[in-house]
Amino acid sequence: MLNTKLLKLPLAAHQHKHEHHQIVAGVRGEAELSVDGAGSHLDTWKACFVPTQARHDYCGDDKNHVLVINLDPLTPAINTPAHADYERMMRVFEKPRTLQMDSRLQALVQFAAGEFDRAPDNKTLQQHLAASILYCMADRVSDRYARFPNRYSISPEAVRRYILKNLHRKITVEDMAGEACLSVSRFHEVFREVAGITPHQFLLFIRLDQAIELLVSTSLSVSEISYRTGFSSQSALTNALRKYKGTTPSRLQFREEVA
């Protein structure tokens, strides 16, 4: 029923069609898909549904990796108990569509991609992970996304790129809302629905991740790293690391020295 792989799309555009349904989920970098003329920009928060026989063009940047799930439309057989469940899932392939993944689904795709990379020959594991992703995506498309079709227009990845571009300065929720062309209250409501966390938490976690990367990979002072990642002071960075990551700048720097 499922054939799944982790691959890199070519830099030059290619076009083809096939006899099976397909899901293409972004894992790293960015990619472009055009399915029957409907364009889709893939980042790490999006997945594209490609129905059987839909002609599609695809290409990616030099860092792209995608998780591809292929589904045989002829299985399971109509007279098997699994068919009704399969039919419910297949409704999501009635037309090409792009799914904006929430934080839980995005984390599941990232986890699966990591397991594919870790155990490339474990086909049983891959099929179970692919089935879990398929069920979660089908449930979101048929339920919440169908009832709120315009709610998922915000891309957390686009917000993340904006934050990284302006990381050293103060960024407010109003700034992020303006980037998305929404009011602050509407942006807060929609972003939390999409990402599963508040815009402020999203901003803080990105700052922390970048600070940790600098602490373990550079010889910059904690004060300089605090400035570069947008924390108001060295103590603000230290307190945030202790509260949310259970560590301190000195521990991270010491770990790198030992390594």
Side-chain angles (χ1 to χ4, degrees), residues 4-16:
T4 315
K5 52 192 171 183
L6 184 65
L7 53 83
K8 185 174 183 178
L9 297 181
L11 296 177
H14 285 63
Q15 183 184 86
H16 69 190

Side-chain angles (χ1 to χ4, degrees), residues 94-256:
E94 291 174 344
K95 62 179 181 179
R97 69 177 82 228
T98 300
L99 174 66
Q100 181 73 51
M101 295 186 284
D102 56 47
S103 59
R104 292 183 178 181
L105 184 53
Q106 196 254 8
L108 176 59
V109 169
Q110 292 293 327
F111 170 76
E115 290 300 291
F116 276 50
D117 191 50
R118 183 188 65 82
D121 298 323
N122 192 334
K123 302 304 179 184
T124 301
L125 172 65
Q126 293 174 11
Q127 285 200 345
H128 281 291
L129 288 171
S132 297
I133 292 171
L134 172 60
Y135 272 93
C136 290
M137 287 187 174
D139 183 63
R140 283 159 170 76
V141 170
S142 61
D143 181 20
R144 196 166 40 169
Y145 286 83
R147 290 187 286 114
F148 302 103
N150 298 320
R151 182 163 295 234
Y152 298 90
S153 57
I154 288 180
S155 167
E157 181 62 25
V159 176
R160 179 177 180 275
R161 288 195 296 268
Y162 171 78
I163 292 172
L164 290 175
K165 185 178 178 181
N166 299 277
L167 192 65
H168 65 285
R169 70 176 185 85
K170 181 179 179 181
I171 301 173
T172 66
V173 176
E174 184 175 6
D175 293 331
M176 292 185 280
E179 186 70 11
C181 299
L182 293 173
S183 68
V184 173
S185 59
R186 180 63 176 162
F187 176 78
H188 192 280
E189 174 192 1
V190 175
F191 190 90
R192 185 162 188 169
E193 184 72 34
V194 172
I197 57 177
T198 67
H200 177 72
Q201 290 171 323
F202 189 76
L203 170 62
L204 175 60
F205 294 157
I206 290 175
R207 291 195 191 281
L208 283 173
D209 288 342
Q210 294 302 305
I212 290 171
E213 183 176 336
L214 290 173
L215 285 165
V216 302
S217 63
T218 74
S219 58
L220 293 171
S221 67
V222 178
S223 177
E224 176 65 17
I225 291 173
S226 301
Y227 168 73
R228 291 193 181 194
T229 53
F231 286 92
S232 59
S233 65
Q234 179 175 329
S235 61
L237 170 59
T238 301
N239 290 336
L241 278 172
R242 185 180 290 113
K243 179 177 180 180
Y244 293 101
K245 300 295 184 178
T247 188
T248 63
S250 58
R251 288 177 187 169
L252 290 167
Q253 291 176 323
F254 176 75
R255 185 183 306 168
E256 177 63 16

